[in-house]
C-alpha cells in the first residue's frame, strides 16, 4: 500500500457513506411487512396493469422515504424494461406545471417549461409515455406540499391514464394523515389510495437498525458495546427519528478519529449527545423562503409573541405585510407543524392569539 493510500485509509471506517442519511441499505430491518405491502400494490405494473395507488404516512425519520425508494429500486431491477420509476419531493416542485415538467426530465426528456402551458406539458408527457410504452410509478414525497399549493396536480397525473395504454400509478408520502381531508372529492375518489401507516420504532427496533448501519459503516470490532444502545436511546427520546441516531454515531466517530483512537466508545458518545437535536424541524426550517422564513426568524427570538406584536415587528424588520397575508402565512406554518398558536379570551377585547415556534415537534 502506498503512503498516500495509507493516509486515505480510515482506522475505523469501512464505508463512512453508510452512516449518511441518503445511503440506501440493502436491507431495512422492521419494515419487511410494509415493503411487502407496497410491492404487492405495485406488482400489477410488471404486467402492464394499473397498480394500487398508495398513501404512506407517519412520523419523521421512520423509513417512509427509504422504504419507498427501496421498493422502487427493486422494481427497476426486476422489471426495468417494462416499468419506469420516478421519485420527486414536492417541496421542490409544488405546482402542476413544475411537477409535470420534472417528471419529463426524470424520464430523460427535458421540456422547456417556460412558455408551455400546463395542457401543452401534459400533451408532451402523454406523447412521451406513448413512445416509451412503459408503465410508470411516480413517488411523491412530502406530498402535502403539492396538495396544499396545487392539488389539481394530482388530478392531472391521474388523468394521464386516460390517454395512454400503459398505466401510471402514485405512491404518496407525508407526515400527516389527514392531508386529503379538504381535497376536492372528485380528486380524492380518483386517487383511491390505500393508506399505510408507519409506526414509530421501539427502542429495540432502533437499536437493531443502528447496529446494522454500524456493521455497514465500521470495521469489525470498532464500535464498543453500549454505543448503539446509547445512540438508539437518544434517537427514541428525540422523537424517534433514525437520523438522530445516525448523527450520534457520526459525531462520536468524528471525536474518536480526532483523538486518533481506533474504537468508538460510550465516552465518545457521551461527549456529543447534547449537540444532537431533532432534525426534522431543522430540515423543514431550512426549506422555507421569503415571508415564511422571516416569520420563523422573528419567532426564534421569542418564547411566545402576540399576533399584533409580531405584525408590527414584521413590518419594522421586513417589507409591509397586511394582517390577512400574515395570517395566511401563519396558518401555513402551523399546518406544516413549525409553529404553534394559542388563543386566549380577553373579556371585552375579544380573542388574543399567541404564537410560538415549535422547537421539537411531537408526532403521534
Ligand atoms: N428500517 C430502517 N433500516 C435502516 N435505515 C433506516 C430504517 N428506517 C429509517 N432508516 C434511515 O433513517 C433515515 C431516515 O429515514 P427516511 O428518510 O426514510 O425517513 P422518513 O420517514 O421519510 O422521514 P421524513 O418524514 O422526515 O421524510 C434514513 O437515513 C434511512 O436510511
Ligand atoms: Mg421522507
Amino acid at each position: 500500500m502506498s503512503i498516500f493510500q495509507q493516509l486515505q485509509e480510515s482506522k475505523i471506517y469501512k464505508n463512512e457513506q453508510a452512516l449518511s442519511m441518503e445511503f440506501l441499505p440493502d436491507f431495512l430491518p422492521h419494515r419487511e411487512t410494509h415493503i411487502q405491502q407496497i410491492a404487492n400494490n405495485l406488482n400489477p405494473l410488471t404486467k402492464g396493469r394499473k397498480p394500487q395507488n398508495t398513501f404512506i404516512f407517519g412520523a419523521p425519520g421512520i423509513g417512509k422515504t427509504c422504504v419507498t425508494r427501496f421498493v422502487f429500486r427493486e422494481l427497476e431491477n426486476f422489471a426495468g424494461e417494462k416499468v419506469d420509476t420516478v421519485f420527486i419531493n414536492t417541496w421542490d416542485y409544488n405546482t402542476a406545471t413544475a411537477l409535470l415538467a420534472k417528471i419529463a426530465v426524470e424520464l430523460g426528456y427535458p421540456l422547456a417549461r417556460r412558455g408551455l402551458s400546463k395542457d401543452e406539458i401534459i400533451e408532451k408527457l402523454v406523447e412521451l409515455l406513448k413512445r416509451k410504452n412503459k408503465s410508470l410509478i411516480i413517488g411523491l414525497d412530502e406530498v402535502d406540499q403539492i396538495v396544499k399549493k396545487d392539488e389539481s396536480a394530482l388530478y392531472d397525473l391521474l388523468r394521464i391514464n386516460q390517454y395512454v395504454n400503459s398505466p401510471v400509478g402514485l405512491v404518496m408520502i407525508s407526515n400527516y394523515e389527514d392531508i386529503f381531508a379538504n381535497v376536492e372529492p372528485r380528486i380524492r375518489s380518483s386517487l383511491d389510495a390505500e393508506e399505510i401507516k408507519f409506526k414509530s420504532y421501539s427502542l429495540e427496533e432502533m437499536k437493531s437498525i443502528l447496529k446494522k448501519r454500524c456493521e455497514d459503516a465500521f470495521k469489525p470490532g470498532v464500535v464498543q458495546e453500549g454505543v448503539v444502545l446509547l445512540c438508539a436511546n437518544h434517537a427514541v427520546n428525540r422523537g424517534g427519528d433514525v437520523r438522530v441516531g445516525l448523527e450520534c454515531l457520526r459525531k462520536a466517530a468524528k471525536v474518536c478519529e480526532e483523538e486518533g483512537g481506533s474504537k468508538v466508545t460510550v465516552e465518545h458518545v457521551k461527549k456529543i449527545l447534547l449537540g444532537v437535536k431533532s432534525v426534522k424541524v431543522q430540515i423543514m426550517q431550512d426549506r422555507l423562503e421569503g415571508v415564511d422564513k422571516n416569520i420563523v426568524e422573528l419567532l426564534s427570538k421569542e418564547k411566545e409573541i402576540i399576533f399584533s406584536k409580531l405584525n408590527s415587528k414584521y413590518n419594522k424588520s421586513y417589507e409591509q405585510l397586511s394582517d390577512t397575508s400574515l395570517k395566511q402565512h401563519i396558518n401555513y406554518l402551523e399546518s406544516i407543524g413549525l409553529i404553534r398558536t394559542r388563543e386566549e379570551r380577553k373579556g371585552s377585547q375579544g380573542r388574543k392569539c399567541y404564537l410560538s415556534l415549535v422547537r421539537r415537534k411531537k408526532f403521534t
Side-chain angles (χ1 to χ4, degrees), residues 289-299 310 314 318-319:
E289 284 166 9
V291 176
D292 296 324
K293 192 176 178 168
N294 299 343
I295 294 174
V296 166
E297 177 67 28
L298 287 176
L299 286 177
L310 177 72
Y314 192 96
Y318 306 100
E319 74 281 2

Side-chain angles (χ1 to χ4, degrees), residues 262-305:
S262 54
K263 222 170 167 49
V264 182
T265 66
V266 167
E267 292 311 314
H268 292 138
V269 182
K270 284 184 180 159
K271 277 189 191 156
I272 55 88
L273 269 192
L274 281 178
V276 181
K277 304 207 169 66
S278 324
V279 282
K280 184 68 187 214
V281 169
Q282 196 54 50
I283 290 173
M284 307 247 270
Q285 280 185 9
D286 289 347
R287 285 176 178 159
L288 296 176
E289 284 166 9
V291 176
D292 296 324
K293 192 176 178 168
N294 299 343
I295 294 174
V296 166
E297 177 67 28
L298 287 176
L299 286 177
S300 70
K301 295 175 190 145
E302 314 275 339
K303 194 155 173 270
E304 195 176 60
I305 185 171

Side-chain angles (χ1 to χ4, degrees), residues 64-65 141-142 173 243 280:
K64 300 180 301 298
T65 299
D141 207 354
E142 320 231 18
I173 305 173
R243 288 173 292 216
K280 184 68 187 214

Side-chain angles (χ1 to χ4, degrees), residues 51-319:
Q52 167 66 56
N53 290 332
T54 305
F55 173 52
I56 297 169
F57 63 92
I62 58 169
K64 300 180 301 298
T65 299
C66 70
V67 159
T68 308
R69 282 178 52 218
F70 180 88
V71 177
F72 277 26
R73 187 172 72 184
E74 294 276 305
L75 183 59
E76 285 265 359
N77 288 344
F78 178 73
E81 71 294 343
K82 285 188 239 155
V83 187
D84 272 320
T85 69
V86 167
F87 194 79
I88 299 171
N89 192 312
T90 81
W91 265 96
D92 306 317
Y93 301 90
N94 57 23
T95 63
T97 41
L99 185 59
L100 292 159
K102 176 64 178 168
I103 292 168
V105 170
E106 289 292 309
L107 291 171
Y109 295 84
L111 290 182
R113 203 169 101 210
R114 265 170 241 290
L116 289 183
S117 71
K118 183 166 88 176
D119 284 340
E120 282 166 333
I121 296 183
I122 293 178
E123 214 173 284
K124 295 253 187 234
L125 203 52
V126 166
E127 231 178 78
L128 169 62
L129 291 172
K130 276 187 179 157
R131 200 152 15 104
K132 290 197 115 185
N133 199 26
K134 282 166 94 172
S135 310
L136 173 65
I137 185 74
I138 304 168
L140 297 177
D141 207 354
E142 320 231 18
V143 70
D144 31 298
Q145 291 307 304
I146 195 107
V147 169
K148 210 163 296 150
K149 297 205 173 123
D150 193 355
E151 66 178 43
S152 72
L154 296 178
Y155 190 67
D156 294 325
L157 289 175
L158 296 166
R159 202 153 56 102
I160 292 178
N161 269 312
Q162 298 166 5
Y163 308 116
V164 292
N165 289 327
S166 32
V168 179
L170 299 178
V171 176
M172 297 163 288
I173 305 173
S174 173
N175 288 136
Y176 310 98
E177 179 173 2
D178 57 352
I179 56 167
F180 298 113
N182 299 320
V183 163
E184 215 188 295
R186 177 183 61 147
I187 299 181
R188 218 176 332 148
S189 72
S190 48
L191 273 175
D192 187 29
E194 181 187 84
E195 294 190 353
I196 302 183
K197 179 180 173 134
F198 275 43
K199 283 211 194 93
S200 296
Y201 296 121
S202 66
L203 178 62
E204 275 309 307
E205 289 172 335
M206 186 69 81
K207 242 172 72 184
S208 69
I209 289 167
L210 294 181
K211 188 155 173 274
K212 166 78 172 53
R213 297 290 285 254
C214 282
E215 284 163 10
D216 289 342
F218 295 106
K219 293 179 174 170
V222 164
V223 181
Q224 192 194 39
E225 182 87 35
V227 164
V228 169
L229 172 61
L230 206 53
C231 296
N233 191 51
H234 193 68
V236 167
N237 288 338
R238 289 267 170 186
D241 189 328
V242 178
R243 288 173 292 216
V244 172
L246 292 172
E247 202 184 326
C248 286
L249 290 168
R250 267 197 316 270
K251 285 199 164 156
K254 189 155 175 267
V255 176
C256 169
E257 280 191 318
E258 281 163 5
E259 291 177 357
S262 54
K263 222 170 167 49
V264 182
T265 66
V266 167
E267 292 311 314
H268 292 138
V269 182
K270 284 184 180 159
K271 277 189 191 156
I272 55 88
L273 269 192
L274 281 178
V276 181
K277 304 207 169 66
S278 324
V279 282
K280 184 68 187 214
V281 169
Q282 196 54 50
I283 290 173
M284 307 247 270
Q285 280 185 9
D286 289 347
R287 285 176 178 159
L288 296 176
E289 284 166 9
V291 176
D292 296 324
K293 192 176 178 168
N294 299 343
I295 294 174
V296 166
E297 177 67 28
L298 287 176
L299 286 177
S300 70
K301 295 175 190 145
E302 314 275 339
K303 194 155 173 270
E304 195 176 60
I305 185 171
I306 199 158
F307 180 81
S308 53
K309 199 162 160 211
L310 177 72
N311 202 351
S312 64
K313 279 203 174 199
Y314 192 96
N315 292 336
K316 228 181 274 164
S317 314
Y318 306 100
E319 74 281 2

